[in-house]
Amino acid sequence: MYVNDKNLAWIATANETPIYIVPKMANRHGLVAGATGTGKTVTVKVMAETFSDMGTPVFISDVKGDVSGMINPGDKEGISKFLDKCMVPKDSFDCRPFPSRFFDVFGEKGINVRTTVSAFGPDLLARLLELTDVQAGVLTIVFKVADDNGWLLIDLKDLKAMVKYVADNAKDIRNTYGNVSPQSVGSIQRALLKLEEAGGDIFFGEPELDIFDWIKTNENGKGYINILECAKLVQSPLLYSTFLLWLLSEMYERLPEVGDLDKPKLVFFFDEAHLLFEDAPKALMQKVEQVVRLIRSKGVGVYFISQKPADVPENVLAQLGNRIQHALRAYTPQEQKAVKVAAQSFRVNPKFNTEEVITQLGTGQALVSFLDEDGIPQVVEQARILPPQSSMTIADEMLIKNNIALCPLNAKYAVSIDRQSAYEELNGINIGTRQGDVPNPNNVIKQGTWTCSCGKNDNTGKFCMECGAKKPDLVTSETVPSTETASVAKKTSEVKPEAGVKVLTEAQLEAEKQKAINAALKEKEREDREKEKLEKEAAKKEAQLRKEIEAEIKRQVKAETAGRKTTTRSTRGRSSSSVLTKTVNSATGTIGREIGKQISRGILGGIKNLF
């Protein structure tokens, strides 16, 4: 809770004494730790609300989906007893919603978050994909060739097309840019495929997110709370690492140096920090350490939330000045060691044994130590965290959708743009008809269908589903003119259905989408069954042929051995059978790779010649 007249952030109460975060020390970063169910999420919400009230925007990575209640007011009667325990005057505690915005890399439960391949750059991309120095050099050549030719690298298909182009023209490129080996190209292509399967094709694209859109306040001067939906994102560790690496790099590179401000410009909360650091690429670890050390001077505070301090690397942990430690459970020797380490990280309070108290804290209680006005860690206190002013429950899904729909940023980022770039240039595709035009993502009116001259009135693609005729120019919207002063999303939203266009409702669009998905799944199942059938037939033929070959080998060896009287001739017989066996094994190995006509024409022909 922000105390305006004192310019202090009231977070907890210890022995009837408020414990404050000094706003100008909030950019010295922090840690919120504790076992599951001890109150970490509530603590984060209280801190986020307080920063918002003081006019500081907040970013929260919501891994469990339980931060969304900030768009609803809290229940004052339900938290009355907590207010009494925290010595908070009820008349000064206002239960209310906070200005919040939802984001989602996948665009399913929030405003889309995208960036371009060019903005990411070859250096960060090489570190993320864990390329060798040689492979990173080849990737740099790819970016340089694209830049010299004026070919934009926007999404992954642009980058993949450029990698192929460089590989195909390696001889011509070598003299100007350096050697490009097929092995390095292959490694890059495999790494890009892995990134694409993790969801990189969704994250890389346009319109690109402007990070300054997160550093905003509402009309009342309250900082926006930007909530990133991460429940699905963390299921793809590579994509999660990609996003965070880009985010931290963008913040560090684009924000100006401001020194120590009266309050932070922006505060980050990374929930479930162990997911961030566990099995993370080395590049991400290095970038996080660098940002935490240096981003303070840009007016940004970074707070990690995890189950125990040991989840955060020591180099990062040493930079976290503001600490809140909820209860830890110590049932195993390893857990007991973690408790001891956590206790030793606080400045000692002679009134109690910190190590003992950590395991005895109740839900909502914590050990708290913030930096004072001189940047010195305060003595640790056993305190009770204030309740949040917003709702502690998860917000209704429809309320979240309404919040997203009404947010001005949704119009700016909702529509994906695929304009003329490297992929189109290399494949001879001309998207725009005028310079400066950008494509309509669907090449059709977004909400509608169209009627063909043959009478088919529910066509959704570029060609009639009945007669195959192309969609008339009257209805087709191949391009949407763009200007520097108007967003593409706004232009797209202004396209109105022409005569004969049937506008589908959201439910109908969803039904059509599901219908297409079901059809694709059925086709995939059919192809899988056909593939499995062919594989079984090939294996059966190979096994049968192998038996025939082995029988023939035995017959030949037996006849040859019986016909020889001397040891020398017997030895030669064994040598011959060994050579024969190796030859046949080689033949049958080839059979496993070449089935059908190659089996009958190639392998059987070779065996006949052999015998």
Side-chain angles (χ1 to χ4, degrees):
M1 186 173 73
Y2 181 56
V3 184
N4 194 25
D5 57 345
K6 295 183 179 180
N7 189 29
L8 293 172
W10 188 0
I11 304 298
T13 301
N15 299 321
E16 303 183 2
T17 302
I19 300 180
Y20 302 105
I21 286 183
V22 180
K24 70 177 184 179
M25 290 295 161
N27 65 337
R28 303 301 174 91
H29 316 312
L31 173 71
V32 180
T36 301
T38 56
K40 298 190 299 298
T41 300
V42 171
T43 299
V44 171
K45 293 177 73 171
V46 171
M47 296 177 72
E49 292 173 355
T50 305
F51 286 126
S52 175
D53 272 347
M54 72 170 66
T56 296
V58 175
F59 172 91
I60 302 177
S61 61
D62 186 12
V63 173
K64 300 186 291 293
D66 50 4
V67 182
S68 59
M70 303 188 82
I71 61 175
N72 293 326
D75 179 10
K76 196 165 186 176
E77 293 184 4
I79 63 175
S80 177
K81 61 179 181 179
F82 298 107
L83 294 176
D84 293 336
K85 292 179 180 179
C86 294
M87 305 301 294
V88 178
K90 294 181 182 180
D91 57 349
S92 65
F93 191 88
D94 183 22
C95 285
R96 55 188 170 83
F98 284 77
S100 304
R101 303 183 297 192
F102 296 88
F103 294 85
D104 185 0
V105 170
F106 297 97
E108 298 173 355
K109 296 183 179 180
I111 300 167
N112 293 81
V113 178
R114 306 183 189 90
T115 188
T116 64
V117 172
S118 294
F120 208 84
D123 294 336
L124 280 181
L125 192 58
R127 292 165 67 184
L128 174 74
L129 299 177
E130 299 184 280
L131 301 180
T132 65
D133 291 342
V134 174
Q135 294 162 2
V138 172
L139 187 62
T140 301
I141 291 175
V142 170
F143 274 74
K144 179 62 175 173
V145 171
D147 186 55
D148 289 349
N149 286 277
W151 298 334
L152 300 178
L153 294 177
I154 296 175
D155 50 28
L156 282 186
K157 75 177 184 342
D158 291 326
L159 183 56
K160 290 166 64 179
M162 276 304 306
V163 172
K164 183 178 183 300
Y165 172 82
V166 169
D168 293 343
N169 297 273
K171 292 182 179 179
D172 298 331
I173 288 173
R174 182 184 299 121
N175 295 332
T176 305
Y177 300 96
N179 187 47
V180 177
S181 69
Q183 293 82 1
S184 295
V185 170
S187 297
I188 294 172
Q189 289 174 327
R190 288 191 296 272
L192 291 177
L193 178 61
K194 183 179 178 182
L195 178 59
E196 183 178 23
E197 290 179 344
D201 55 331
I202 298 173
F203 177 57
F204 289 104
E206 285 186 325
E208 180 183 6
L209 179 74
D210 183 357
I211 59 170
F212 289 100
D213 283 336
W214 283 347
I215 311 177
K216 301 286 186 180
T217 58
N218 67 1
E219 62 278 5
N220 298 320
K222 308 296 183 184
Y224 276 109
I225 299 174
N226 303 287
I227 303 172
L228 179 71
E229 165 62 35
C230 290
K232 182 177 179 180
L233 182 60
V234 295
Q235 302 304 316
S236 301
L238 180 58
L239 183 59
Y240 188 49
S241 300
T242 302
F243 168 77
L244 292 177
L245 186 57
W246 163 78
L247 177 61
L248 294 172
S249 299
E250 279 286 287
M251 286 293 174
Y252 179 71
E253 293 171 4
R254 295 188 61 188
L255 292 180
E257 293 282 344
V258 294
D260 290 325
L261 301 175
D262 292 337
K263 62 183 180 182
K265 293 176 63 176
L266 179 66
V267 173
F268 281 95
F269 288 95
F270 291 116
D271 195 8
E272 302 295 340
H274 65 279
L275 297 176
L276 170 61
F277 296 108
E278 189 176 44
D279 298 327
K282 187 177 180 180
L284 178 61
M285 299 288 288
Q286 293 174 342
K287 180 58 65 174
V288 171
E289 292 176 11
Q290 179 192 38
V291 169
V292 171
R293 286 197 309 269
L294 303 177
I295 206 171
R296 175 194 63 79
S297 61
K298 296 176 182 284
V300 176
V302 180
Y303 289 74
F304 296 102
I305 301 95
S306 194
Q307 295 191 9
K308 53 184 182 294
D311 292 333
V312 181
E314 289 186 4
N315 291 340
V316 176
L317 196 62
Q319 307 296 324
L320 310 182
N322 301 298
R323 301 196 178 196
I324 298 177
Q325 177 67 62
H326 287 274
L328 288 176
R329 310 305 177 203
Y331 301 112
T332 67
Q334 185 176 4
E335 291 172 340
Q336 292 169 1
K337 182 180 179 181
V339 169
K340 185 175 182 179
V341 171
Q344 291 174 344
S345 65
F346 287 103
R347 183 178 170 187
V348 176
N349 188 330
K351 296 179 181 178
F352 58 85
N353 186 319
T354 305
E355 187 174 342
E356 291 181 359
V357 170
I358 287 181
T359 61
Q360 299 170 1
L361 294 169
T363 301
Q365 296 179 329
L367 294 176
V368 180
S369 176
F370 298 142
L371 299 177
D372 63 18
E373 293 188 356
D374 296 322
I376 301 173
Q378 297 177 335
V379 172
V380 63
E381 296 287 354
Q382 182 177 351
R384 183 176 292 276
I385 305 298
L386 269 63
Q389 295 171 268
S390 62
S391 175
M392 290 196 228
T393 60
I394 298 175
D396 182 76
E397 187 174 346
M398 286 305 300
L399 286 177
I400 297 177
K401 287 184 177 180
N402 288 338
N403 177 284
I404 297 168
L406 295 174
C407 180
L409 293 182
N410 189 45
K412 182 177 180 180
Y413 296 115
V415 180
S416 175
I417 303 302
D418 186 14
R419 60 189 172 112
Q420 193 83 13
S421 53
Y423 175 82
E424 286 75 21
E425 295 288 352
L426 294 172
N427 288 279
I429 301 172
N430 184 17
I431 292 181
T433 58
R434 299 182 300 276
Q435 185 176 6
D437 284 2
V438 295
N440 182 322
N442 299 318
N443 287 328
V444 295
I445 296 176
K446 185 173 178 62
Q447 293 118 331
T449 57
W450 60 280
T451 301
C452 180
S453 58
C454 71
K456 184 71 173 176
N457 62 2
D458 57 350
N459 296 298
T460 57
K462 295 173 64 176
F463 299 93
C464 176
M465 293 185 289
E466 183 70 27
C467 67
K470 187 176 181 180
K471 185 178 181 182
D473 292 337
L474 177 66
V475 181
T476 302
S477 178
E478 292 292 339
T479 59
V480 180
S482 64
T483 67
E484 294 183 2
T485 59
S487 69
V488 174
K490 182 178 179 181
K491 286 287 184 181
T492 305
S493 65
E494 291 174 353
V495 178
K496 299 193 180 295
E498 300 286 350
V501 175
K502 177 183 175 183
V503 179
L504 296 181
T505 64
E506 183 178 352
Q508 289 173 321
L509 284 171
E510 188 63 31
E512 288 295 323
K513 177 181 177 183
Q514 191 60 46
K515 184 177 178 181
I517 291 174
N518 292 338
L521 290 174
K522 288 182 179 179
E523 180 64 19
K524 182 68 167 55
E525 291 176 358
R526 187 191 66 77
E527 291 177 354
D528 290 343
R529 288 195 299 269
E530 189 68 22
K531 181 180 178 182
E532 184 179 359
K533 181 179 178 182
L534 291 174
E535 289 176 347
K536 287 182 178 179
E537 290 178 355
K540 184 177 180 181
K541 289 180 179 180
E542 181 182 350
Q544 182 179 356
L545 187 56
R546 181 179 285 275
K547 288 181 179 179
E548 294 176 359
I549 293 171
E550 290 177 349
E552 182 65 20
I553 290 173
K554 291 179 180 179
R555 187 184 67 78
Q556 290 287 338
V557 171
K558 183 177 180 181
E560 187 176 358
T561 302
R564 288 176 170 78
K565 301 295 184 179
T566 65
T567 304
T568 303
R569 295 183 65 186
S570 297
T571 303
R572 291 175 181 172
R574 286 193 295 272
S575 299
S576 298
S577 66
S578 176
V579 172
L580 185 61
T581 301
K582 291 181 180 178
T583 303
V584 174
N585 284 341
S586 175
T588 55
T590 305
I591 293 168
R593 296 186 298 269
E594 301 180 7
I595 60 176
K597 293 181 180 180
Q598 293 182 5
I599 293 176
S600 58
R601 294 178 181 178
I603 304 304
L604 291 178
I607 294 171
K608 289 178 180 179
N609 292 334
L610 180 64
F611 298 108

